[in-house]
Amino acid sequence: MITNQRYEKIMDCLNERGTASVNDLVDITNSSTATVRRDLTHLESKGLLKRVHGGATVEQMEREEDYTEKSVKNLSKKLKIAQIASELIEDGDTVFIDAGTTTYEMMPFIKASEVTVVTNSITLIDQLVRNGHQTIVLGGRVKPATKAVVGHDVIEKLRTLSFDKCFIGVNAIDLHHGFTTPDEDEAYIKKTAVEHSRRAFVLADSSKFERSAFVKFAQLEEASIITEDPDHPFLVKARSGTEITGGESNDIYRDV
Amino acid sequence: MITNQRYEKIMDCLNERGTASVNDLVDITNSSTATVRRDLTHLESKGLLKRVHGGATVEQMEREEDYTEKSVKNLSKKLKIAQIASELIEDGDTVFIDAGTTTYEMMPFIKASEVTVVTNSITLIDQLVRNGHQTIVLGGRVKPATKAVVGHDVIEKLRTLSFDKCFIGVNAIDLHHGFTTPDEDEAYIKKTAVEHSRRAFVLADSSKFERSAFVKFAQLEEASIITEDPDHPFLVKARSGTEITGGESNDIYRDV
DNA sequence: TTAAAAATGATTGAAAATGATTATTAATGA
DNA sequence: TCATTAATAATCATTTTCAATCATTTTTAA
């Protein structure tokens, strides 16, 4: 079995079950523990999973944050990004908000009124409703690990809608592969949402730059990047590179 | 079993039952008391549960009930009804579960496996997913007060589905008006669900009898009533009355 | 085809998690 | 209150998992 196939099997397993032991993954991939461990190390470095003693997990949306130095730092990045994103929502907007931990952090910052929010994230709904926003949930199968709604119905419905703006989470961004994410179902939802929005925003802290995950959902020039460090070398490169020279209205978003 | 999986099992158990003893958790996790204690210490430090002598508890924030004499009594009625209803779900069933406080109480009692649950209640989804049921949410506008999904899309989608069973909440039942509820949107959803189920069950404690609300969603003979008091005068009257003599397969459900 | 590079699997000492044991502490009933 | 029982915390031995290293296999490039 080729390395990437193993990566996919591992991520599939984790996305489905949320947690898996090294031994589980050894069985699934028909590899040695050494190989699985190497895979886990690699996938963790890409931010696709979190290693734990005995195996690995995917972030469960819930707050299991351990309040170490690092996670607090990441949290504040997330908050900053979430806040910038939220302020882009204007009175009367109809927006799509993707399932994800960063988009979740947007909730308290949305100040605009008469906003209609469409989402496939069950987790967001509580907050949206509580804050008095008109909320529309897309229907379909609920994915246990992330409580995101996925499936054909979601795409079908998205195609009938059009948004002023959409806010999308992402796992990895690089010049070659554009915006990528590990889960195929979710990638297709992101893609469709971007296509049906006047303006698309991708929320990404700088740890996502110059990496790629399995499934591409948009070209770099199809969406604006919202990040905590607008002068990051990668963005400088991206702005000057041929890849994005075509995008006039959708420049890399740079405010902080 | 790796540590995270044990954490999950413990939290699942607590979220379901509210309280669990160390011994319960030892059985559930196939670990020693020492390990369970260590787990509890860890989970408590994260604020996910509270240790008590002999085990642990979670604050049941879901229940906003004020614990007066009456509401406790109603709760136990509800639980009884919910339990009866849940036991009607069999392995492999595809069921619709309506939004509502009584249907919510069904969650911990659903023991059947390979169950697919379709619902329009955002509140139910957490529990359904946590208990490992295949969950499908209907898409549409989220009604803030009840976090039920309503609207044309819900009806549209329901019409394409068919269920083995459906479990419906109700506000009032009487011989003349049948099953009634105050909200028009929700009534139409209930009506459609009943029409697309092989067998329909209405969950109602006896305080709902001989009353009527604004919108009728089904005739008495279209659904079986699940209640805590099968010998209530109203049911005796209903069983003997002409209104339901036609229903052979859909008798008033009487077990307790 | 051969040499170099990369990936894999096995081995081993170190680290972490676990389970059993024991002393201490808390709950229960006379 | 005191005695009895159960639950807990602390300690230690055992088991499991981990990371580092090296030999082997596979892939790539010359």
Side-chain angles (χ1 to χ4, degrees):
Chain A
M1 169 161 344
I2 196 170
T3 310
N4 279 48
Q5 289 175 330
R6 247 184 6 252
Y7 290 164
E8 277 191 49
K9 286 211 172 189
I10 290 171
M11 290 315 300
D12 282 352
C13 179
L14 281 171
N15 283 324
E16 189 56 36
R17 315 211 310 233
T19 303
S21 73
V22 171
N23 287 331
D24 293 344
L25 298 173
V26 164
D27 291 344
I28 287 170
T29 60
N30 290 314
S31 308
S32 66
T33 58
T35 300
V36 168
R37 282 179 211 293
R38 270 187 283 254
D39 289 349
L40 293 181
T41 306
H42 175 252
L43 291 169
E44 182 177 44
S45 78
K46 289 207 161 199
L48 298 177
L49 54 78
K50 187 169 136 215
R51 290 193 68 180
V52 294
H53 195 91
T57 63
V58 286
E59 293 274 318
Q60 290 288 77
M61 262 304 206
E62 321 274 326
R63 308 301 182 83
E64 338 159 311
E65 311 274 334
D66 47 333
Y67 289 98
T68 60
E69 178 75 3
K70 180 165 170 291
S71 78
V72 167
K73 207 171 137 205
N74 270 332
L75 187 62
S76 76
K77 272 191 203 174
K78 267 187 189 171
L79 283 177
K80 198 184 262 185
I81 293 168
Q83 188 163 11
I84 298 167
S86 310
E87 284 162 4
L88 294 167
I89 300 178
E90 295 168 295
D91 291 359
D93 271 354
T94 297
V95 303
F96 175 81
I97 303 185
D98 189 30
T101 50
T102 309
T103 48
Y104 179 78
E105 301 296 343
M106 289 174 65
M107 296 302 104
F109 297 116
I110 302 175
K111 299 297 178 206
S113 57
E114 301 289 316
V115 177
T116 301
V117 179
V118 178
T119 185
N120 68 324
S121 166
I122 300 298
T123 318
L124 294 189
I125 293 176
D126 263 322
Q127 297 276 333
L128 288 168
V129 167
R130 193 170 302 152
N131 296 347
H133 305 300
Q134 166 93 324
T135 306
I136 292 168
V137 59
L138 299 171
R141 184 171 71 83
V142 181
K143 211 175 115 185
T146 56
K147 274 191 268 167
V149 183
V150 296
H152 183 256
D153 283 350
V154 174
I155 308 291
E156 190 93 331
K157 181 66 189 176
L158 270 178
R159 289 210 175 110
T160 69
L161 303 172
S162 62
F163 306 106
D164 294 309
K165 287 147 195 160
C166 70
F167 299 89
I168 308 287
V170 70
N171 272 80
I173 308 178
D174 81 359
L175 294 179
H176 254 82
H177 307 89
F179 301 108
T180 50
T181 197
D183 188 280
E184 195 166 2
D185 288 332
E186 296 189 14
Y188 205 43
I189 291 169
K190 290 172 203 283
K191 181 179 159 72
T192 310
V194 168
E195 287 170 356
H196 288 77
S197 298
R198 282 201 301 115
R199 197 120 160 62
F201 300 96
V202 167
L203 284 63
D205 65 80
S206 52
S207 71
K208 308 290 169 61
F209 297 159
E210 301 195 88
R211 299 189 159 176
S212 72
F214 302 124
V215 195
K216 173 174 177 172
F217 65 85
Q219 309 270 2
L220 271 190
E221 58 269 25
E222 289 180 83
S224 305
I225 298 170
I226 301 179
T227 188
E228 87 287 358
D229 175 12
D231 300 318
H232 189 282
F234 169 76
L235 292 179
V236 174
K237 204 162 78 181
R239 275 192 284 269
S240 65
T242 52
E243 280 87 350
I244 60 153
T245 45
E248 313 86 357
S249 67
N250 279 334
D251 288 2
I252 305 294
Y253 193 73
R254 29 204 323 266
D255 295 35
V256 161
Chain B
M1 165 154 354
I2 73 178
T3 311
N4 281 52
Q5 290 172 335
R6 249 188 359 256
Y7 291 163
E8 274 188 51
K9 286 211 175 191
I10 290 171
M11 289 316 299
D12 283 355
C13 178
L14 281 171
N15 284 323
E16 187 173 306
R17 317 211 307 233
T19 302
S21 74
V22 171
N23 286 332
D24 293 344
L25 298 173
V26 164
D27 291 344
I28 287 169
T29 60
N30 289 314
S31 308
S32 67
T33 57
T35 300
V36 168
R37 283 179 213 292
R38 271 187 282 253
D39 288 350
L40 293 180
T41 305
H42 175 255
L43 291 169
E44 182 177 43
S45 77
K46 291 209 167 195
L48 296 174
L49 55 79
K50 190 171 131 212
R51 291 193 67 179
V52 294
H53 196 87
T57 62
V58 288
E59 305 278 326
Q60 294 286 72
M61 330 193 192
E62 320 281 327
R63 318 272 163 85
E64 316 144 344
E65 311 273 333
D66 50 329
Y67 288 98
T68 59
E69 178 75 3
K70 180 165 170 292
S71 77
V72 167
K73 207 169 138 205
N74 270 334
L75 185 62
S76 77
K77 271 191 204 174
K78 268 187 189 170
L79 284 178
K80 198 185 263 185
I81 293 167
Q83 186 163 13
I84 296 168
S86 309
E87 284 163 4
L88 294 167
I89 300 178
E90 294 168 296
D91 291 359
D93 271 355
T94 297
V95 303
F96 176 82
I97 302 184
D98 188 30
T101 51
T102 309
T103 49
Y104 178 77
E105 300 296 342
M106 288 174 66
M107 297 301 103
F109 297 116
I110 302 175
K111 298 300 177 204
S113 57
E114 302 288 314
V115 177
T116 300
V117 179
V118 179
T119 185
N120 67 323
S121 166
I122 300 298
T123 318
L124 295 190
I125 293 176
D126 262 323
Q127 298 275 336
L128 287 169
V129 166
R130 193 171 299 150
N131 296 346
H133 305 301
Q134 165 93 322
T135 306
I136 292 168
V137 59
L138 298 171
R141 184 171 69 81
V142 180
K143 214 176 118 184
T146 56
K147 273 191 274 171
V149 183
V150 296
H152 183 256
D153 282 351
V154 175
I155 308 292
E156 190 94 330
K157 183 66 190 176
L158 270 178
R159 289 207 174 112
T160 72
L161 302 173
S162 61
F163 306 106
D164 294 310
K165 287 146 194 161
C166 71
F167 298 89
I168 308 290
V170 69
N171 271 78
I173 308 178
D174 81 358
L175 294 179
H176 252 82
H177 307 88
F179 300 108
T180 50
T181 198
D183 188 279
E184 195 166 2
D185 287 332
E186 297 190 14
Y188 205 43
I189 290 170
K190 290 172 204 282
K191 180 180 159 71
T192 311
V194 168
E195 286 169 357
H196 287 78
S197 298
R198 284 200 299 114
R199 196 117 161 63
F201 299 96
V202 168
L203 284 63
D205 65 79
S206 51
S207 70
K208 308 291 169 60
F209 297 160
E210 301 194 88
R211 296 190 163 176
S212 72
F214 303 125
V215 195
K216 172 173 178 175
F217 63 86
Q219 308 270 3
L220 272 192
E221 58 269 26
E222 287 181 84
S224 306
I225 297 170
I226 302 179
T227 188
E228 87 287 358
D229 175 12
D231 300 317
H232 190 282
F234 169 74
L235 292 179
V236 174
K237 203 162 80 183
R239 273 194 284 271
S240 64
T242 53
E243 279 87 349
I244 59 156
T245 45
E248 312 86 358
S249 67
N250 278 334
D251 288 2
I252 305 295
Y253 192 75
R254 31 205 321 270
D255 294 37
V256 163

